[in-house]
Amino acid sequence: MAHFKKKQAGTKQEVPTSAMPDVVFMLLFFFMVTTVLREVTLKVKIDLTKATNIEKIEEKRLVSYIYMGPERLPNNRLGNDKVQIDDSIVDDIGAIRQLMYDKLLQEQRMIVSLRVDESSEFGLLTDVQEELKKAQTFRINYSTKSEATRN
Amino acid sequence: MLLKKRERESAEINGSSMADIAFLLLIFFLVTTTINVDTGIGMVLPPPLDPTEEPPPVRERNLMKILVNETGLIMMDEEPTPIDEVQNKLIEFIKNPEGNEELSISPQAAIVSLKTVRQTPYRIYIDMLDEVIGAYAFLRNEAANENFSRDYSQLNKEQKDIVDDIYPKKISIAEPDPE
């Protein structure tokens, strides 16, 4: 009881922490808004190549991704080059046309970002590009990492 | 006496653990957030070619044919070229300051055709494309400095359009030959 009395009698020594939740919540909301949770699980291995003359895509909403690279197999082995759209591997290249066309209908200004493994062969890429042409999705972007400028 | 004291204590909700909860959520989102801006080389694909229709005629001198094989060796208009000379050659071809008969008539007419084989690794293809884009970036920057005394990246939309008209980016990605 004596202890209790003493606490009330003394002057307040604590730092007021009542505003801390507000601060933390503010940060929380910031990260919640910026987080993109629609990250797909990659079923293909992708190491992006580097390029110097690149540009940023500002409007992330418009971007839809196509992944290309060697398929990840169990036991850390890698298979043949495959195409992945959304969460699944597309074995039939001809099916890409319909998939991408459906996406284009939802967003007319769609940009297709091609995330291709650096060792993938150009042949597969050109097949996919042919399908994209037929699907009328002409705006593409070869996703690359940035490289320090040489000059 | 004891009863009264308890009532008084429970009148306020203890909010001290709120910060802990918020911190936990904050850390979760901090860890999961990836603020990666997507960067890359933007291109616009041409509409599919009608097989019955002949492609439009292009004069030979306006076309720069770049061939790349799967080991990264480059041919520019039938001439083997190391990769670090590609950009300079392209700039010379597009601008053609001396009016050379074999180079492009005007920057507007210049077309760069990039052709490779199916076995080419993506890395080599992008390196090559990067050089072509780099040549155009250099020329546009130069034109921007001449006309507006500013770098291309600092121009506004209308000024960029003017510069883009001086050096239109005409890059054709040729289909590889079927085997």
Side-chain angles (χ1 to χ4, degrees), chain B residues 83-118:
Chain B
I83 190 151
D84 33 348
E85 277 175 34
V86 169
Q87 207 158 322
N88 290 333
K89 268 186 104 167
L90 273 174
I91 289 166
E92 199 195 337
F93 161 76
I94 297 163
K95 272 181 88 176
N96 195 8
E98 282 136 36
N100 192 319
E101 285 285 303
E102 282 172 14
L103 303 178
S104 164
I105 294 177
S106 68
Q108 289 79 31
I111 296 172
V112 180
S113 164
L114 189 57
K115 191 170 182 177
T116 182
V117 287
R118 292 189 70 94

Side-chain angles (χ1 to χ4, degrees), chain A residues 1 4 20-21 24-25 27-28 31-32 34-35 39 49-57 60 63 65 113-127 129-130 132-134 136-147 150, chain B residues 1 5 8-9 15 18-19 22-23 25-26 28-30 32-48 84 87 116-127 129-131 133-135 137-138 169 173-176:
Chain A
M1 225 36 196
F4 190 74
M20 183 132 90
V24 174
F25 266 117
L27 282 168
L28 176 63
F31 279 101
M32 278 176 79
T34 53
T35 299
E39 201 70 41
T49 182
K50 286 177 183 167
T52 321
N53 301 288
I54 53 174
E55 48 201 65
K56 283 180 191 168
I57 305 180
K60 256 202 145 175
V63 179
Y65 293 100
S113 182
L114 294 160
R115 297 179 81 88
V116 186
D117 187 70
E118 58 171 13
S119 59
S120 291
E121 288 182 0
F122 179 74
L124 183 66
L125 176 73
T126 194
D127 291 343
Q129 279 184 6
E130 282 307 305
L132 290 179
K133 285 182 196 173
K134 286 172 190 158
Q136 313 282 316
T137 47
F138 298 131
R139 287 177 76 187
I140 61 164
N141 180 68
Y142 297 116
S143 199
T144 57
K145 288 186 282 196
S146 81
E147 185 178 42
R150 275 167 296 172
Chain B
M1 187 66 188
K5 190 182 146 201
R8 206 195 298 152
E9 262 186 27
M18 180 102 100
F23 261 123
L25 282 167
L26 174 64
F28 168 73
F29 279 102
L30 264 170
T32 54
T33 299
T34 42
I35 311 183
N36 55 339
V37 187
D38 206 21
T39 54
I41 299 175
M43 289 283 287
V44 179
L45 294 173
D84 33 348
Q87 207 158 322
T116 182
V117 287
R118 292 189 70 94
Q119 285 80 20
T120 308
Y122 183 66
R123 186 182 344 109
I124 289 173
Y125 167 68
I126 286 295
D127 280 351
L129 195 60
D130 196 22
E131 294 296 321
I133 304 275
F138 175 84
K169 219 183 265 181
I173 309 293
E175 278 171 58

Side-chain angles (χ1 to χ4, degrees), chain B residues 11-179:
Chain B
E12 227 177 271
I13 298 169
N14 191 355
S16 60
S17 61
M18 180 102 100
D20 299 349
I21 296 165
F23 261 123
L24 199 85
L25 282 167
L26 174 64
I27 289 163
F28 168 73
F29 279 102
L30 264 170
V31 170
T32 54
T33 299
T34 42
I35 311 183
N36 55 339
V37 187
D38 206 21
T39 54
I41 299 175
M43 289 283 287
V44 179
L45 294 173
L49 199 65
D50 193 346
T52 55
E53 212 175 305
E54 279 286 301
V58 176
R59 280 178 69 179
E60 183 59 35
R61 60 176 286 192
N62 289 335
L63 189 67
M64 171 59 90
K65 281 185 196 154
I66 304 178
L67 301 171
V68 192
N69 75 355
E70 68 270 26
T71 54
L73 297 172
I74 302 157
M75 290 275 269
M76 289 177 79
D77 273 351
E78 269 89 68
E79 214 177 297
T81 314
I83 190 151
D84 33 348
E85 277 175 34
V86 169
Q87 207 158 322
N88 290 333
K89 268 186 104 167
L90 273 174
I91 289 166
E92 199 195 337
F93 161 76
I94 297 163
K95 272 181 88 176
N96 195 8
E98 282 136 36
N100 192 319
E101 285 285 303
E102 282 172 14
L103 303 178
S104 164
I105 294 177
S106 68
Q108 289 79 31
I111 296 172
V112 180
S113 164
L114 189 57
K115 191 170 182 177
T116 182
V117 287
R118 292 189 70 94
Q119 285 80 20
T120 308
Y122 183 66
R123 186 182 344 109
I124 289 173
Y125 167 68
I126 286 295
D127 280 351
M128 202 56 241
L129 195 60
D130 196 22
E131 294 296 321
V132 181
I133 304 275
Y136 272 105
F138 175 84
L139 287 170
R140 285 186 175 179
N141 205 25
E142 198 180 64
N145 273 312
E146 270 171 30
N147 293 321
F148 306 106
S149 16
R150 239 180 298 172
D151 277 352
Y152 181 72
S153 54
Q154 282 157 2
L155 300 184
N156 61 31
K157 183 86 178 53
E158 289 83 45
Q159 290 171 327
K160 270 188 184 167
D161 284 345
I162 294 168
V163 174
D164 288 359
D165 282 342
I166 301 173
Y167 291 114
K169 219 183 265 181
K170 287 185 186 166
I171 303 168
S172 147
I173 309 293
E175 278 171 58
D177 293 322
E179 278 145 58

